[in-house]
Amino acid sequence: MLPKRFRRARDYGFLHGNGKKLMQLLRLLLKVVVPEHPQPSQRVPVLCTHCGHAMTIIDTRLRLNGPMLC
């Protein structure tokens, strides 16, 4: 929460929610190439300690007892 008299900067200019056309124009003028689909990073497979086969990660959890990074 911001103090009184302060305004979020992302509400103005090209960061505004309706600024997609302006962002496209800026990319065109600055000749910025945005990749269509980022390549997923290759991870080393986690092996099962019982059978030795590669495990498939289906879900991850965050630890909440450590310091919070914002």
Side-chain angles (χ1 to χ4, degrees):
M1 190 74 169
L2 291 174
K4 290 182 180 180
R5 299 180 318 224
F6 281 85
R7 186 84 173 154
R8 283 188 274 168
R10 67 185 173 121
D11 289 341
Y12 296 101
F14 65 91
L15 294 177
H16 188 270
N18 294 330
K20 287 185 180 183
K21 289 183 181 179
L22 183 56
M23 284 295 290
Q24 289 176 347
L25 177 64
L26 287 172
R27 287 183 187 132
L28 179 67
L29 291 174
L30 296 173
K31 299 177 183 175
V32 175
V33 178
V34 180
E36 289 293 324
H37 299 285
Q39 297 293 328
S41 62
Q42 297 293 327
R43 301 176 111 185
V44 177
V46 178
L47 301 177
C48 176
T49 56
H50 181 71
C51 66
H53 285 91
M55 294 194 284
T56 303
I57 298 173
I58 57 171
D59 195 15
T60 57
R61 298 179 117 190
L62 298 175
R63 293 183 190 172
L64 296 178
N65 57 357
M68 298 286 285
L69 300 175
C70 297

